[in-house]
Amino acid sequence: MTTTPPSLPARLGEETRELLRTGSLLHELRHGLDGPYHALFPARFDANVAAFHEVFADVGVKGRVYYAKKANKAAVFAERAAAHGLGIDVASHGELREALAHGVRGADLVVTGPAKADHLLRISVLHDALIAVDALDELDRLNALAVELDRPARVLLRRLPPAQPHSRFGMDADELESALHRCTVAEGIRMEGFSFHLSGYDTRLRGDLAAELIRLCRTARAHGLRADRISIGGGLAVDYVTKEDWLRFAERQTSEHYHAGKTFAAFYPYHSPVAGAHALRAVLATTPTGEQKSLAHLLLDNDVTLLVEPGRALLDQAGCTVFRVQGVKERGDYTLLTVDGTSLSLSEQWFASEFLPEPLLVPAAEESEGAGTGGPYPACVGAATCLESDMLTWRKIPFHRPPCVGDLLVYPNTAGYQMDSNESPFHDLPLPPKVVIDQAPGSPRPRWRLDRHHP
């Protein structure tokens, strides 16, 4: 007999709680859509945007928020970004096209990616987008295109992080020196500043590298270049679970708590003590190595605008994913559930891991008095394909009642990367549609519509 698996309950936003309170709507959507689906909460996105703007206002730093569109393909978030006057970070022609189609101006786009095709560069120049240049050859191609089009190319030069020298993104110090020289003589380049791509959530590393970019701005200005903005990218964490639950889970979990004794080398850090807009505030408050003032003061003293490109952080609590249980097997001391979708719709599997914040069980019918006593009822969650490895949740989740066919599993807080990064219509199974949920004025019940994104 294995020990009871540790629980890892997710933090729940009010929009998710409200949807769970109206369980009948969850079932109605499953019936009408005839399969799994993603629910989106634009009101939560709006609140996250407001929190970022509040940080810039409180600190007094000139700042600009660019929503990282790769984090979720839904049209509604691009629409809300446009409504709030946000920029959007795009890395492909498709993302650029979608952003423009949903109301974001070309001048409000920042185009990233390691080696951009000429077609993307051409469209970016025509729409006056800001382009993060990743390499010297890209800078040369971009200049030639800009001269051909007789339009300036707005450019950020991307710095290779010294703390991550094996990163495939950015230019080292010698390459940057050459890039600055080329910018001073290039006819088609309007050099506006610097950027970097830094993996992880270390706010001090981000602050240190931001300070280096400010120093690079001073150097570029001495060469007669504009250089009045820097981008520190995304890398602002989300706090999915409480510290207490995360530490308890990490201490107690063993391979016996997973289907087939599965083990993982590492998990995403689902608890972060500093997250979202608070992480931005922490970055601005750091005193970078070798400096006497905070990053915020360095930005103000040097008249530099700070650009941030959050994706996951703007989508915190802005969506959930719903599956229906369509099979139940007893496996001794736990149950193996099969749902009507695949693990490709929860994209942590892309990183040889799984999405750990546990789903909530919504019963198919009203629970009778006393239901769920005698638990917990451990169950893992398999998917609908013919692959042994297609598991949404290898972990044996300690449910408060026995899961049954027809019940729904609601995975909370999946809007950031989980819905899209690894999706596939394998077996010709349709991709889960996205449903926009909001509250009609004066109505006690949420209303819904299908998202307008068309792949």
Side-chain angles (χ1 to χ4, degrees):
M1 182 75 176
T2 61
T3 59
T4 301
S7 181
L8 190 60
R11 294 183 183 273
L12 298 180
E14 181 53 38
E15 294 81 6
T16 303
R17 293 181 185 277
E18 179 61 27
L19 189 60
L20 290 166
R21 282 194 287 267
T22 56
S24 60
L25 178 58
L26 287 165
H27 282 286
E28 287 174 20
L29 288 169
R30 167 57 184 77
H31 176 75
L33 299 170
D34 196 25
Y37 59 93
H38 304 298
L40 310 177
F41 308 126
R44 176 53 53 177
F45 182 88
D46 294 348
N48 293 335
V49 170
F52 274 87
H53 285 161
E54 182 179 351
V55 170
F56 282 127
D58 287 350
V59 178
V61 167
K62 290 189 291 186
R64 186 74 195 278
V65 179
Y66 290 80
Y67 163 55
K69 196 176 187 307
K70 61 182 176 290
N72 196 298
K73 292 186 179 74
V76 69
F77 297 130
E79 293 166 357
R80 298 312 302 156
H84 290 294
L86 265 63
I88 290 191
D89 163 20
V90 301
S92 70
H93 178 258
E95 289 185 343
L96 186 151
R97 181 187 64 240
E98 285 290 307
L100 293 172
H102 295 297
V104 180
R105 301 182 312 153
D108 293 331
L109 301 178
V110 59
V111 184
T112 58
K116 293 168 274 296
D118 284 351
H119 179 59
L120 176 57
L121 293 176
R122 180 182 295 273
I123 298 298
S124 301
V125 172
L126 288 171
H127 283 279
D128 200 30
L130 185 59
I131 303 166
V133 171
D134 195 67
L136 291 172
D137 67 316
E138 184 173 81
L139 181 62
D140 292 340
R141 288 189 293 117
L142 181 58
N143 181 55
L145 279 168
V147 171
E148 174 192 332
L149 296 169
D150 194 25
R151 297 176 65 93
R154 300 174 57 219
V155 164
L156 299 175
L157 299 179
R158 181 180 282 159
R159 173 69 163 111
L160 174 71
Q164 296 175 359
H166 300 296
S167 172
R168 66 189 184 95
F169 299 104
M171 294 177 274
D172 63 23
D174 290 340
E175 290 169 324
L176 269 186
E177 184 177 354
S178 179
L180 281 175
H181 172 71
R182 297 183 195 193
C183 287
T184 61
V185 298
E187 296 179 29
I189 299 299
R190 189 171 77 200
M191 191 275 188
E192 297 190 7
F194 298 88
S195 69
F196 59 75
H197 180 282
L198 185 67
S199 297
Y201 299 115
D202 189 318
T203 55
R204 172 155 293 279
L205 274 180
R206 205 164 290 274
D208 281 353
L209 192 46
E212 181 183 340
L213 297 195
I214 293 173
R215 292 191 289 271
L216 285 170
C217 283
R218 291 200 296 262
T219 299
R221 289 171 182 175
H223 286 81
L225 299 170
R226 174 175 168 178
D228 64 357
R229 63 200 62 206
I230 63 171
S231 171
I232 62 171
L236 303 171
V238 165
D239 193 27
Y240 290 87
V241 300
T242 67
K243 176 182 178 180
E244 295 73 21
D245 287 334
W246 183 241
L247 293 177
R248 187 182 305 113
F249 170 82
E251 178 183 352
R252 290 186 52 198
Q253 64 98 23
T254 68
S255 62
E256 70 175 350
H257 296 138
Y258 296 82
H259 173 63
K262 178 76 171 178
T263 59
F264 298 93
F267 294 117
Y268 179 86
Y270 286 101
H271 168 68
S272 180
V274 181
H278 296 293
L280 172 60
R281 194 182 294 273
V283 172
L284 288 166
T286 61
T287 300
T289 302
E291 299 288 347
Q292 302 300 314
K293 296 182 177 181
S294 70
L295 178 62
H297 280 98
L298 293 173
L299 290 163
L300 289 167
D301 289 349
N302 291 276
D303 194 23
V304 171
T305 298
L306 182 68
L307 315 181
V308 292
E309 300 159 13
R312 194 186 295 259
L314 285 180
L315 296 168
D316 185 20
Q317 299 294 350
C320 62
T321 301
V322 183
F323 300 93
R324 179 182 181 273
V325 177
Q326 62 185 27
V328 178
K329 286 183 179 179
E330 297 301 325
R331 284 290 185 259
D333 60 354
Y334 70 100
T335 302
L336 175 59
L337 309 179
T338 299
V339 297
D340 58 352
T342 80
S343 62
L344 301 173
S345 295
L346 287 178
S347 294
E348 216 66 71
Q349 283 78 354
W350 195 11
F351 302 100
S353 184
E354 70 173 64
F355 187 71
L356 286 179
E358 55 201 34
L360 297 105
L361 190 65
V362 178
E366 292 294 326
E367 292 181 282
S368 59
E369 185 176 350
T373 58
Y377 300 91
C380 54
V381 185
T385 73
C386 299
L387 297 175
E388 193 72 65
S389 62
D390 192 7
M391 298 286 295
L392 279 83
T393 304
W394 292 84
R395 185 165 63 90
K396 300 169 185 177
I397 303 162
F399 287 109
H400 71 281
R401 60 179 290 280
C404 301
V405 171
D407 290 349
L408 300 180
L409 294 182
V410 179
Y411 283 83
N413 208 359
T414 56
Y417 289 103
Q418 295 304 318
M419 296 179 180
D420 293 320
S421 298
N422 208 29
E423 64 181 5
S424 169
F426 185 60
H427 275 322
D428 279 339
L429 292 169
L431 299 178
K434 292 187 174 77
V435 180
V436 179
I437 307 287
D438 61 18
Q439 198 73 34
S443 172
R445 192 169 188 259
R447 61 184 179 181
W448 68 273
R449 64 172 174 83
L450 290 175
D451 183 67
R452 283 187 274 266
H453 173 70
H454 298 288

